Amino acid sequence: MSGNVIVTDIQRADPAVVDALAAFGSATVHEAMGRVGYAGPRIRPVQQGAAISGSAITVSAAAGDNLMVHAAIEQSRPGDVIVVVPVTDSPHGFIGELMATQMQVRGVRGYVTSGGVRDTAELRAMGFPVWTAYVSAQGTVKDTAGSVNVPVVLDGVLVRPGDIVVADDDGVTVVPRHRAGDTLEAADARAAREAANRARYAAGEISMDLNDLRPVLADLGITVRAQTDDDRD
């Protein structure tokens, strides 16, 4: 696909699967997919305690220009997450309270960007969750072409329109739409294992035994010995 474009009527994953992934969180989903899909530590929440999942509406925007974010809002549906990636690094406040109000009214679950946002106190007060690389009072213009619902790369992670965005206090993980069902099954299995291990830890067992780590230490040549009087001098 060449040139700038707004793609409409994108395909989305089964809403029940999308909704269920939120309960597992970004870390468990990342692990369940084989430790892929995590957008990295630069994309951080401006709030605490929000945990969402939704279908990606993607935006490729010019640096310092939020025209295509406005266009993306028009394409959004309830349950979506708008993902904005400037084509070059851009620590501008691409959205604030007014644009978030539009998204919230349309049922958008959250906003993720490798650019910036502003009005963070207002965003927290209105309960609209945002994950961003920058917080910046600097505004944007609206005069440069971009695209909506094309593949974008969010800090090294490919995001296609309709992929599932799972975001919480630990960050953002992206699940390819075609992997949604398998990822949910793997996340559920991982959560069950963690629940079983949690009960054993609560009963007094330790991870050195539960994960059979002593042979690993031995294979690495790590010795275990008691402290001597010479060590204490």
Side-chain angles (χ1 to χ4, degrees):
M1 185 179 297
S2 60
N4 300 114
V5 64
I6 297 173
V7 179
T8 66
D9 302 311
I10 64 169
Q11 294 185 331
R12 294 166 171 84
D14 180 347
V17 174
V18 175
D19 293 349
L21 284 168
F24 295 103
S26 61
T28 294
V29 171
H30 164 65
E31 296 282 354
M33 285 198 299
R35 296 185 176 181
V36 298
Y38 170 53
R42 199 170 76 105
I43 310 297
R44 304 183 64 179
V46 302
Q47 67 288 310
Q48 292 293 305
I52 67 167
S53 59
S55 298
I57 296 289
T58 60
V59 180
S60 176
D65 192 305
N66 74 352
L67 174 63
M68 302 315 295
V69 185
H70 291 268
I73 293 172
E74 185 178 30
Q75 298 304 315
S76 65
R77 297 180 184 174
D80 286 343
V81 174
I82 293 180
V83 179
V84 176
V85 177
V87 293
T88 58
D89 194 48
S90 184
H92 295 72
F94 278 74
I95 71 156
E97 175 191 5
L98 296 181
M99 293 186 73
T101 298
Q102 299 176 60
M103 297 182 211
Q104 193 171 56
V105 168
R106 294 179 69 86
V108 172
R109 290 178 175 169
Y111 180 89
V112 174
T113 185
S114 55
V117 302
R118 61 184 182 178
D119 297 342
T120 54
E122 290 85 351
L123 294 174
R124 287 189 290 270
M126 64 190 287
F128 185 75
V130 167
W131 288 258
T132 184
Y134 301 103
V135 172
S136 173
Q138 184 176 13
T140 59
V141 296
K142 302 171 181 60
D143 57 16
T144 311
S147 293
V148 175
N149 285 330
V150 298
V152 295
V153 179
L154 177 71
D155 271 25
V157 174
L158 177 64
V159 188
R160 298 179 180 88
D163 284 349
I164 298 96
V165 178
V166 181
D168 57 14
D169 288 349
D170 291 333
V172 175
T173 295
V174 177
V175 180
R177 181 171 59 86
H178 69 276
R179 294 191 60 184
D182 291 343
T183 299
L184 178 58
E185 290 182 7
D188 187 57
R190 181 176 181 86
R193 290 193 300 271
E194 290 181 348
N197 288 347
R198 188 177 301 111
R200 294 177 67 176
Y201 293 145
E205 294 188 63
I206 63 173
S207 54
M208 283 293 293
D209 296 321
L210 197 58
N211 295 327
D212 196 24
L213 295 178
R214 300 184 198 285
V216 177
L217 296 179
D219 289 344
L220 292 171
I222 299 171
T223 59
V224 179
R225 62 176 178 80
Q227 187 182 47
T228 65
D229 287 340
D230 290 339
D231 293 327
R232 289 189 286 267
D233 291 341

